[in-house]
Amino acid sequence: MDPTRIALFDLAEKRLDWAAQRQTVLAANIANINTPGYQGQDIQSFDQLLAGAGDLAPAQTQPGHMAGTRPGGVASVKKNPPAIKALDGNGVPLDEQLTKVADTETTQSLVTTIWKTYMGMFTTALGKSA
């Protein structure tokens, strides 16, 4: 076991990366709220990310083929089909997007608070003052 790598901090880092990526996708949805035909997007849930769902790499079927690359980011982006579309074909309900933004901000705040609390405990355990 590597004492410099603590699983809780790795998990917190993944969760913060996920939250940042989700905020980016939701911000793009809100920015395109009046774009005709725009379809909202979201990323896979954090539970799916941890379970490895959607974490597929391109297959290298021949020895001469180049290795594939994965799209950037932590989680895969997916289309979010709306229940109701506007007359112009836009499928981004503002209230739903704002609820998701608030939920993601709450998650980010919680993870940051847990991170700070554990760092404070480690500092105390090492006998250093904060």
Side-chain angles (χ1 to χ4, degrees), residues 15 18-19 22-23 26-27 30 94-110:
R15 185 67 177 218
W18 176 88
R22 188 167 194 220
Q23 288 289 48
L26 296 175
I30 292 170
L94 182 60
D95 57 338
E96 180 182 302
Q97 298 303 307
L98 293 176
T99 301
K100 289 179 181 181
V101 166
D103 179 52
T104 305
E105 190 277 330
T106 302
T107 297
Q108 196 169 19
S109 178
L110 175 67

Side-chain angles (χ1 to χ4, degrees), residues 57-115:
Q60 188 175 2
T61 57
Q62 298 291 324
H65 289 175
M66 294 174 56
T69 59
R70 297 180 190 175
V74 176
S76 56
V77 177
K78 60 183 180 179
K79 292 285 183 188
N80 194 13
I84 300 173
K85 288 186 180 181
L87 293 175
D88 64 359
N90 185 297
V92 183
L94 182 60
D95 57 338
E96 180 182 302
Q97 298 303 307
L98 293 176
T99 301
K100 289 179 181 181
V101 166
D103 179 52
T104 305
E105 190 277 330
T106 302
T107 297
Q108 196 169 19
S109 178
L110 175 67
V111 173
T112 303
T113 300
I114 292 171
W115 179 286

Side-chain angles (χ1 to χ4, degrees), residues 7-35:
L8 176 69
F9 292 136
D10 289 342
L11 181 63
E13 184 177 355
K14 283 181 187 176
R15 185 67 177 218
L16 288 172
D17 289 343
W18 176 88
Q21 184 181 359
R22 188 167 194 220
Q23 288 289 48
T24 301
V25 170
L26 296 175
N29 288 347
I30 292 170
N32 287 293
I33 201 85
N34 291 324
T35 304

Side-chain angles (χ1 to χ4, degrees), residues 4 39 117:
T4 62
Q39 297 301 310
T117 301

